[in-house]
Amino acid sequence: MPDQLTIPGEPALAGRIRQAAARDALPHAVILSGRGDLLRAARFTAAAMECQGADRPCGTCPACRKVLRDIHPDVIQVEDPDHKMISMDVLRQVRSDAYVLPNEGRRKIYLFPDCGRLDGKGQNVLLKVLEEGPPHAAFLFCAANSAVLLQTIRSRAVEWKLSPPVEEAADADGGARALCELLCGGKPADIAGYCAGLENGKMDREALGRLLSDARDLVSRGLAACYGAGAEDELSRRLAREAGRRKLAAWAEILDRYSRQCAYNIGVGHLTGALAAELIG
């Protein structure tokens, strides 16, 4: 089981979790977001919470072994295979069960492997136990995009964002830069054609969200350069020089809004078509 005592591609995060566990300072609510192995990271965190050894998680104590084998009685993976969204009955049971003392562990941990299956009403059911629940209760939320969670949930949790694999990050960065280059050029047909190409390339919503988020960051750096901040690269300087403050501020808002919409069940074609219209307008 030693290979499970890592978070793939995230040695710094694993180290932070170990340090917090050593101080008994792991938060009671964590959002694990991004494109890494979210479920592996959640199980690593749960093992650190339950570990009985010195270097938490040690991977060898009975508690660690049970968590990593998914048989620990106090680490509950919240699922509802009979419904598309996790039902209110399941979530009410979680809320009630959280007040029951752990069977054998340090904590009672509720692990949500896919927060895309939590609607707003369901999240509100959990809100009170997140705010005022017992000290032994912990909640681990896995969400590729944390925007699927209500702000009231996000404000009561710590978010740890996992990075995509290196090759995915490179692809997203390249796409974001290409979009910003076209925005600099200002030709509506080119911008519309690029957005249409995103749909034709079978890009999914998560990948589109990453691309738009990266493009927003690039545009924001260009806007900062307009206000005298040092531009990090030639594209930032070009954005500042050729677009100006008003356009950059508008683009940043549009890109941010559409990157967040990618968290919801909206077709990529609808998103890219509407995005093109707003960027051109």
Side-chain angles (χ1 to χ4, degrees), residues 96-174:
S96 298
D97 187 65
Y99 290 90
V100 179
L101 289 172
N103 290 282
E104 62 182 59
R106 295 170 177 263
R107 311 285 291 270
K108 183 169 272 189
I109 303 165
Y110 298 91
L111 196 164
F112 294 82
D114 180 7
C115 288
R117 300 186 61 213
L118 280 173
D119 62 18
K121 289 182 179 178
Q123 292 178 47
N124 280 326
V125 168
L126 298 172
L127 188 56
K128 186 172 181 180
V129 75
L130 281 175
E131 290 179 318
E132 305 171 2
H136 62 256
F139 300 84
L140 304 177
F141 299 99
C142 297
N145 188 331
S146 62
V148 300
L149 293 165
L150 298 174
Q151 176 58 33
T152 48
I153 297 287
R154 298 200 303 270
S155 67
R156 289 159 176 81
V158 173
E159 182 174 357
W160 294 336
K161 189 165 186 176
L162 280 69
S163 303
V166 173
E167 63 275 11
E168 288 189 25
D171 289 346
D173 180 66

Side-chain angles (χ1 to χ4, degrees), residues 10 14 17 23 61 110 136 149 167 183-184 195 217 220-221:
E10 299 288 341
I17 292 171
R23 304 192 309 271
C61 72
Y110 298 91
H136 62 256
L149 293 165
E167 63 275 11
L183 289 173
C184 282
C195 291
D217 291 345
S220 296
R221 290 201 289 269

Side-chain angles (χ1 to χ4, degrees), residues 66-81:
K66 287 181 180 180
V67 172
L68 298 175
R69 290 168 58 196
D70 193 18
I71 59 172
H72 197 293
D74 296 314
V75 180
I76 300 101
Q77 188 160 309
V78 182
E79 295 179 302
D80 186 359

Side-chain angles (χ1 to χ4, degrees), residues 229-278:
E232 298 180 7
D233 55 32
E234 176 55 34
L235 181 55
S236 298
R237 292 189 289 272
R238 186 181 170 200
L239 283 164
R241 184 172 62 249
E242 299 185 17
R245 297 176 184 179
R246 291 182 62 184
K247 280 188 177 181
L248 289 174
W251 291 341
E253 188 277 329
I254 292 167
L255 291 165
D256 181 67
R257 177 155 38 87
Y258 277 87
S259 70
R260 291 179 179 277
Q261 288 184 23
C262 289
Y264 302 99
N265 190 21
I266 305 173
V268 168
H270 174 79
L271 285 169
T272 55
L275 171 67
E278 289 207 43

